[in-house]
Amino acid sequence: MSFNDNNDLFSNNNQNNNGENKSEQPNTNPTYHYSYPPKQNDTNNPQQPPQQPYSPNFTTPPQQTQWTFEEYGPLDNKNGKKKKDKKEKKPVNGLKVFAIIVSILCIASLGTLGGYIIYDKIDENGSSVQGKGDAPTLDIQGRPEGSKQETTSPDGRLTTQAVNKIVNPSVVGIVTYTKTTGYQVLGQGSGVIMTKDGYIVTNHHVITPEDPRMRVAKIEVITTDKKTYTAKVIGSDSKTDLAVIKVDANNLPAATFGDSSKLEVGETVIAIGNPNGMKFSGSLTKGAVSAVDRVLDSATLGDTMKYIQTDAAINPGNSGGALANEYGQVIGINTAKIVAEGFEGMGFSIPINTAKPIVDSLMKNGYVRGRVRIGITYMPISQTLADLNGIPKGLRVVDFDPNADIAAKGIQKGDIISKINGKEVYDATTISAALDGKKPGDTVEMDIYRIGSDGRAKTFKISIALGEDAPTTSE
């Protein structure tokens, strides 16, 4: 996900006419806590507070050696000094001195011989002996030959290392900038090279500011060989959170895309991207497919889109990066994770089979052509809210497009749309189900609930023509 990623926390905020909304951005700036205690008498800690007894950090001070007078022998009663023993001097016998010297030499020789015998004895028993000249050295060997080093299994699956070598060069870093007095970084994310001539797929939220008042002045693409390019937007779709950008380059390492419909739960997948931005570019995480065709209750991520759920770590900055299978094929575009207390290892990727028609339309038309729209902004009314307020569940109209046909048919703010073509509608999922297969210009019938100025409620039906969900441009 990008630093300004707003898709990490799923929510049910107000949605626009096609179920779009923005969710809050998780805090992506990690705080590191070091566990090293300050050194005693450190120059950075010149004064150490005295330890108090019974405090958690109190330690018993080292015991000082206590000496007694008795150890020094008897003392002189007058001055307290140790008495010296007085012995009678005797004449030195020369023969005795010679005998003593010979005895000392013999003892020294025996000690040396004994030490040598003990030295040999320890060495023979395999004990470590310091200073031995012929001690063994650390031996580093090459990798063993044989099946352990094969990069593929019989069915063609690759090792993680092999997948990384294939896919990583196709994953790029994306940095967006705004311009005030100078260029300022807005966000960072990832992308996947689709073609050798520079088409790159990423997430809509990677290239779109979180704050709608901000404008992207520049999009920079950084490849794994540290080359930088300025990119232009070919097309972007907020509903599916997909976008296509283009750089002016040739012979880029384009990714190989695989059939995501063949994925199975438990299959190993590898996520590659730039968590926390370019600081950790090219990071790889590994996990399993936790679920396929996972429908998320989030209009921001696109109505009834189905996602690949994985426990491979997907963090802010990974958005737009690759989810690859064990064959070195990109089968998903990483887009979101659940960020909430008690949740861990729940990341989501847009399946490539789902992304393909969106990406193709973005490349050809600049938007997703043929998508229908009603032309309203609404608030979902659940059954619980309906029961509490004595109203039908449905879609409360918050605002509407004055140019849409529904405005011409007399829709008002506060009206509740309870059904479309006889099907209950109360969230993004039910809207998509009711409009499934419809094309721009098709007519649908709606059931409307309205409370009049006299306080009385009434229900009625209207028929409207669906519009095309084409982007509007404003300069």
Side-chain angles (χ1 to χ4, degrees), residues 118-382:
I118 294 172
Y119 184 98
D120 258 359
K121 185 67 174 177
I122 293 175
D123 189 61
E124 289 173 358
N125 288 338
S127 298
S128 175
V129 180
Q130 287 186 335
K132 186 176 180 181
D134 59 346
T137 59
L138 178 64
D139 184 20
I140 299 178
Q141 300 181 5
R143 290 188 175 184
E145 302 293 336
S147 59
K148 291 184 179 180
Q149 296 306 309
E150 291 179 0
T151 58
T152 61
S153 62
D155 64 354
R157 287 179 296 173
L158 305 173
T159 62
T160 302
Q161 297 93 319
V163 172
N164 181 63
K165 290 178 181 178
I166 294 172
V167 180
N168 208 317
S170 301
V171 179
V172 299
I174 298 176
V175 183
T176 58
Y177 298 87
T178 188
K179 190 174 183 180
T180 51
T181 55
Y183 284 107
Q184 301 291 331
V185 174
L186 275 177
Q188 301 184 50
S190 307
V192 180
I193 300 172
M194 292 190 295
T195 64
K196 292 182 178 181
D197 59 347
Y199 283 94
I200 297 168
V201 61
T202 185
N203 286 141
H204 168 80
H205 73 265
V206 169
I207 63 168
T208 305
E210 179 185 3
D211 188 343
R213 296 170 297 179
M214 303 292 290
R215 288 178 60 96
V216 174
K218 180 181 178 181
I219 300 175
E220 187 178 66
V221 169
I222 304 98
T223 56
T224 54
D225 57 0
K226 306 304 179 184
K227 292 182 180 179
T228 60
Y229 302 89
T230 299
K232 62 180 181 179
V233 178
I234 300 300
S236 190
D237 182 51
S238 60
K239 287 193 68 174
T240 57
D241 197 23
L242 288 168
V244 176
I245 60 177
K246 173 77 166 60
V247 298
D248 186 12
N250 293 303
N251 298 319
L252 293 178
T256 300
F257 296 89
D259 186 354
S260 58
S261 68
K262 302 297 184 183
L263 278 178
E264 297 181 359
V265 174
E267 188 173 339
T268 297
V269 285
I270 296 161
I272 299 176
N274 309 303
N276 203 30
M278 298 308 300
K279 181 179 180 180
F280 299 106
S281 62
S283 292
L284 179 149
T285 54
K286 182 179 178 180
V289 175
S290 304
V292 295
D293 297 334
R294 180 71 80 195
V295 178
L296 303 181
D297 186 18
S298 173
T300 301
L301 295 176
D303 292 347
T304 55
M305 279 184 61
K306 297 177 179 179
Y307 296 84
I308 302 167
Q309 180 186 335
T310 177
D311 65 348
I314 296 175
N315 294 293
N318 274 119
S319 284
L323 187 72
N325 60 18
E326 292 182 284
Y327 303 93
Q329 300 171 320
V330 177
I331 42 79
I333 303 298
N334 299 323
T335 189
K337 67 177 292 186
I338 293 181
V339 179
E341 186 176 353
F343 289 87
E344 188 62 42
M346 295 187 70
F348 300 89
S349 298
I350 303 171
I352 287 300
N353 289 26
T354 301
K356 176 178 168 52
I358 307 299
V359 169
D360 289 348
S361 185
L362 291 176
M363 294 176 69
K364 183 177 181 180
N365 307 302
Y367 69 98
V368 181
R369 192 169 183 179
R371 181 184 287 156
V372 298
R373 67 191 294 264
I374 297 172
I376 64 167
T377 302
Y378 66 91
M379 183 182 78
I381 303 296
S382 66

